[in-house]
Amino acid sequence: MKKKIANYTLSLVTLVSSLLFIGCAEKRKGTQLLLAASPWKFAEMPALSTLSPEKHKATFRTASDSSSFTIKLKVNLKAQKHARSVLNIPGILKIMTFQQNPADRKLQNYPAYPMPDGTVPVLEAALRLYSPAEPQGKDMLVGIPMAMLEKPEGAHEVVLHFSGVRWTLYVDNELLDNDFPLGYPKWEKQNTWEIDSSLVSKAEIFFPGIEPQKVVLKTPRTSAEIQYWTPAGHNSWVGDVATFYHQGRYHIFYLFDRRGHASKFGKGAHYFEHLSTTDFKTWTEHDAATPIEQQWETFGTGTPFLFDNKLCISYGLHTTRIYPKEQTSLPLQWDYYNKHGVTGSFRYDTIPGYPAGSTYSISEDGISKFKKTKVLFHPCENPSVYTDPEGRLRMLANYGAKGTWESKSIDGGWRSVNQEFPPGGDCTFFFRWGNYDYVIGGFTGFWSKPASAPEDKFVDGVKVGLDFYNGMNVPAVTEINDGRFLLAGWIPMAGWGGSLTIHEMIQSPEGRIGTKWMEEIVPATQKERSLATEIKESSTFVTGSSSFLLTFDVEPGTDLNGKMAALLLGANAEDQACEVQISPSAKKAQYGNGQIGNFSGAEKSLREGGSTSAARNYAIENLAGTDKPFKVRMIVKYEDKFGGSQIDTEIAGQRTMIAFRPNLKVEKLLLRSGKTGIKNVRIAALKN
């Protein structure tokens, strides 16, 4: 009976909310990203073998150079109910169409593009590769959900290209999926291949492969918004971020991630892509700063820095993900260090073993056009290189080493100046802001000290609940113009990847750091509408959009137990519901599992053992500015690609917290007050 009453109240308030007036606030303008993406073309060449409806099966002799190949197909795609073979080369390659389970996003995230009826038809190619680690062979998959095509069904040109370094799928001249091979196919002297002639009107195979050429566009393609951005595609994400500000330009280097770290058979195959801006409104996508050019390459996080007046970026060669340490250059590097007390400098194309450890690239124009030096300067695999305020070239060692190191030159000669701090782990960064020094880790670990204090005086801010972790993973900190500091990172959505998120940092006179939204990049919105002038009892509203900006004012009251909550509800009410709960007097806020009838239970902060880096349920503490009336702003961003909603909350303009909720598409909002006032509730749909 109580449930029926609750449902009736929910429906009644929802109906009333839909009658509230439309506000007259101006639309918020967004940002624009100029993309480097363009179509690709393949030169016309004689094929080694050709198939057609009249000749749907044939044999061919493999060419002497079989290290690369290209297959061109003219395919009539159809959303088949059952799996169909499009092309088959026994023991080498299978191209299939099939129906993907719409609830299964593992590996390829095919449900990012469903058909109007909710089905997910897929085109997929499986190439069997053999390597010393996989002597029995293993299939490497590339594929697409057909719904991502402008016209999913009908005639399409499909090209599959294996270069030895890349395994790539092109449809209608667009690069839509790729992976990075380990190993090669085992071609026979004579190979048989076959097509389904009801689907394929022509198939050609070329040895060696035809290297694709980029089509130069007079007008670049664009993407709306940089906040919460992901690279184009169904399975492409932003991984670890490294940032820098140089000559009026803010640079973002991010580890391009497909399949949530599952590329290259689970070895990651990450490499640094590159974005930059001079005004934070128009952004530019550059060519990759550290492209993968060898099968052994997979890169780890580093940092941009200046050395010898040149823009550089350091990064780690994570070769030990692929080969045992003994087969890499690491033993040679550690032997040199143990004998000399400093690291050596090795050209990795001139020494035995697979290259591993720290290296760097140099920009040829001070903006982009990076070139690999092929110099190994340290055995650690996540080097955080920087020039400190005193002008010393330093590095924080992560993954495979630890501590603080110093050198006169980037090219070797690194000596340990603090063996124990920071204690290694993932991706630590140093920065100085005014009179304070800070070191931040990738997921936890935050230390600060007065700049004038000795280096052994760093204090652990997490232990006292004074960190500023907010859901971002591997956050990078950079000072820009006018003394402003930015925090950039990624929000986990698909394993080791997700959306790019940037916030601005604030600092108190005592050195305490908080975060707020960066106004220049807040996403564009439609006009606001008012939901309520005051919330006196639990009230529910239809959001009208699954992606929106919500704002409201909070009157904190005097009760220490006072709190308020914004409950985000999907079509199935409490299923996957998310509650944003704020306790002003207790100076605490949290994300929790939502309940229609009650506040959610208490979550843990990082100090208490909670996990901010998971970006699901967690708490933050020691809020600032909540002892007097304050404003809360929330952005909810839903995309089919995400498979859920990113929720970004700003509290009193001094703290932010971010969560991702899989399977949540918000339709309704419930505001609940417990001895805490809520006023001036307004909502605006996001434009993009």
Side-chain angles (χ1 to χ4, degrees):
M1 183 66 180
K2 289 182 179 179
K3 188 173 182 179
K4 288 184 178 179
I5 293 173
N7 288 340
Y8 172 77
T9 304
L10 186 66
S11 299
L12 181 62
V13 177
T14 297
L15 177 63
V16 172
S17 72
S18 66
L19 301 176
L20 292 172
F21 67 91
I22 301 297
C24 59
E26 290 297 318
K27 299 177 184 178
R28 180 187 289 272
K29 296 181 179 180
T31 60
Q32 185 181 64
L33 172 60
L34 305 179
L35 299 171
S38 71
W40 296 81
K41 62 181 180 180
F42 290 79
E44 294 296 327
M45 295 178 63
L48 181 65
S49 180
T50 301
L51 299 179
S52 66
E54 295 74 31
K55 182 185 175 184
H56 66 275
K57 186 175 182 180
T59 60
F60 60 87
R61 284 183 172 273
T62 307
S64 57
D65 182 359
S66 59
S67 60
S68 69
F69 70 91
T70 301
I71 292 177
K72 292 183 179 181
L73 299 169
K74 290 184 179 179
V75 185
N76 185 28
L77 291 177
K78 299 177 183 178
Q80 311 281 352
K81 289 185 178 180
H82 304 288
R84 292 274 298 273
S85 174
V86 177
L87 180 148
N88 184 34
I89 306 177
I92 302 290
L93 175 66
K94 291 181 180 179
I95 305 175
M96 304 285 294
T97 62
F98 59 89
Q99 288 286 344
Q100 173 76 5
N101 180 352
D104 184 359
R105 291 179 174 268
K106 292 179 182 177
L107 192 66
Q108 283 288 70
N109 197 37
Y110 289 137
Y113 288 88
M115 298 286 270
D117 64 357
T119 61
V120 185
V122 167
L123 173 69
E124 186 175 82
L127 179 66
R128 179 60 60 95
L129 298 176
Y130 297 83
S131 68
E134 296 287 347
Q136 302 305 313
K138 190 172 183 178
D139 286 346
M140 177 166 279
L141 307 176
V142 289
I144 59 164
M146 285 164 49
M148 75 185 298
L149 303 175
E150 186 175 350
K151 294 181 180 179
E153 296 190 312
H156 295 277
E157 184 178 58
V158 176
V159 178
L160 287 160
H161 179 62
F162 178 82
S163 70
V165 177
R166 289 176 175 79
W167 169 228
T168 310
L169 170 64
Y170 302 82
V171 181
D172 300 331
N173 303 314
E174 299 290 343
L175 192 165
L176 298 184
D177 194 17
N178 71 344
D179 204 338
F180 297 88
L182 281 176
Y184 290 85
K186 277 188 178 179
W187 296 99
E188 302 293 339
K189 290 184 178 179
Q190 286 225 356
N191 300 273
T192 300
W193 69 324
E194 184 176 10
I195 58 172
D196 183 334
S197 57
S198 68
L199 298 176
V200 181
S201 61
K202 187 177 183 181
E204 299 173 288
I205 190 165
F206 303 86
F207 289 93
I210 307 170
E211 283 301 315
Q213 302 298 315
K214 213 169 187 179
V215 176
V216 178
L217 298 176
K218 292 182 179 179
T219 303
R221 294 173 175 176
T222 61
S223 175
E225 307 298 358
I226 194 70
Q227 190 72 300
Y228 321 128
W229 176 81
T230 62
H234 59 290
N235 60 1
S236 48
W237 308 97
V238 172
D240 291 358
V241 170
T243 59
F244 200 64
Y245 191 74
H246 176 54
Q247 295 182 345
R249 183 178 294 269
Y250 179 66
H251 296 264
I252 293 178
F253 301 90
Y254 69 91
L255 292 183
F256 182 89
D257 177 274
R258 283 199 195 267
R259 305 173 183 86
H261 207 292
S263 289
K264 201 182 277 281
F265 295 138
K267 310 305 181 183
H270 293 128
Y271 63 94
F272 272 118
E273 287 281 4
H274 181 202
L275 311 173
S276 76
T277 182
T278 57
D279 62 3
F280 296 96
K281 299 304 290 185
T282 300
W283 296 69
T284 300
E285 182 178 40
H286 305 281
D287 289 339
T290 62
I292 290 178
E293 298 169 313
Q294 302 288 337
Q295 282 201 1
W296 56 262
E297 287 182 311
T298 181
F299 301 146
T301 312
T303 51
F305 62 97
L306 282 179
F307 181 71
D308 196 22
N309 293 318
K310 295 177 182 177
L311 177 62
C312 308
I313 182 168
S314 65
Y315 49 99
L317 304 179
H318 276 233
T319 319
T320 51
R321 292 177 181 168
I322 304 173
Y323 299 102
K325 180 179 178 181
E326 294 72 27
Q327 295 182 24
T328 73
S329 61
L330 291 177
L332 173 66
Q333 294 179 74
W334 281 117
D335 284 348
Y336 186 97
Y337 173 73
N338 291 331
K339 289 179 182 178
H340 299 89
V342 295
T343 67
S345 177
F346 302 92
R347 283 274 310 198
Y348 65 61
D349 54 352
T350 64
I351 58 175
Y354 292 104
S358 299
T359 187
Y360 70 106
S361 292
I362 301 175
S363 169
E364 295 180 337
D365 62 0
I367 296 176
S368 58
K369 298 180 181 177
F370 284 85
K371 185 176 181 181
K372 295 174 183 175
T373 62
K374 300 184 180 181
V375 171
L376 294 171
F377 62 84
H378 196 282
C380 89
E381 294 178 60
N382 274 0
S384 180
V385 178
Y386 63 99
T387 301
D388 74 3
E390 283 72 40
R392 298 172 296 193
L393 185 64
R394 288 198 155 190
M395 180 186 73
L396 306 182
N398 308 281
Y399 192 72
K402 62 180 181 178
T404 305
W405 299 68
E406 190 174 310
S407 179
K408 298 294 184 183
S409 168
I410 183 68
D411 294 333
W414 291 88
R415 61 184 180 87
S416 174
V417 295
N418 190 332
Q419 294 183 355
E420 302 302 323
F421 181 82
D426 274 305
C427 316
T428 47
F429 297 96
F430 167 90
F431 64 100
R432 177 173 290 176
W433 191 347
N435 296 321
Y436 293 88
D437 288 342
Y438 305 90
V439 173
I440 183 172
F443 305 102
T444 183
F446 167 66
W447 302 269
S448 64
K449 71 173 184 65
S452 58
E455 295 190 6
D456 60 355
K457 297 301 180 182
F458 275 101
V459 175
D460 190 336
V462 172
K463 286 186 177 180
V464 291
L466 295 177
D467 62 273
F468 55 86
Y469 287 96
N470 64 352
M472 289 188 196
N473 281 238
V474 194
V477 177
T478 294
E479 182 179 5
I480 62 169
N481 55 312
D482 301 325
R484 300 166 70 189
F485 280 73
L486 300 185
L487 181 74
W490 58 277
I491 306 302
M493 294 177 175
W496 208 262
S499 68
L500 172 67
T501 304
I502 306 167
H503 284 176
E504 186 168 353
M505 303 168 73
I506 59 174
Q507 183 191 47
S508 72
E510 299 78 26
R512 172 83 188 278
I513 287 180
T515 50
K516 65 178 182 178
W517 289 355
M518 185 182 190
E519 293 302 326
E520 292 95 324
I521 61 171
V522 174
T525 61
Q526 307 291 351
K527 287 186 177 180
E528 281 187 331
R529 59 188 176 99
S530 174
L531 295 182
T533 55
E534 186 172 5
I535 301 295
K536 294 185 177 180
E537 58 184 21
S538 295
S539 303
T540 305
F541 309 92
V542 174
T543 59
S545 172
S546 57
S547 298
F548 55 86
L549 166 64
L550 176 73
T551 63
F552 54 87
D553 298 324
V554 177
E555 299 280 350
T558 58
D559 194 311
L560 285 176
N561 296 316
K563 54 188 174 183
M564 59 76 53
L567 179 59
L568 303 168
L569 300 161
N572 297 321
E574 290 187 0
D575 288 352
Q576 313 300 331
C578 176
E579 182 195 78
V580 182
Q581 185 184 122
I582 303 173
S583 302
S585 297
K587 301 185 182 303
K588 200 166 186 178
Q590 67 173 43
Y591 287 110
N593 294 329
Q595 306 173 62
I596 291 177
N598 300 288
F599 286 98
S600 63
E603 299 292 339
K604 293 181 179 180
S605 68
L606 194 57
R607 177 185 62 84
E608 297 165 331
S611 173
T612 58
S613 62
R616 301 300 191 260
N617 291 345
Y618 67 92
I620 59 174
E621 54 187 334
N622 292 311
L623 296 177
T626 60
D627 53 347
K628 55 186 178 182
F630 61 92
K631 183 179 290 294
V632 174
R633 297 193 291 177
M634 293 172 53
I635 287 179
V636 177
K637 174 75 170 179
Y638 173 85
E639 286 190 13
D640 283 334
K641 178 178 178 178
F642 295 174
S645 297
Q646 181 170 336
I647 305 160
D648 188 352
T649 304
E650 181 194 63
I651 303 169
Q654 299 187 59
R655 287 297 300 275
T656 58
M657 55 189 307
I658 311 163
F660 173 65
R661 309 306 278 207
N663 303 312
L664 175 61
K665 185 175 184 179
V666 178
E667 294 185 0
K668 298 173 184 176
L669 165 72
L670 187 152
L671 291 173
R672 176 186 292 124
S673 174
K675 301 178 183 178
T676 298
I678 305 173
K679 295 182 177 180
N680 304 320
V681 184
R682 302 180 72 82
I683 194 169
L686 298 189
K687 188 175 180 180
N688 301 294

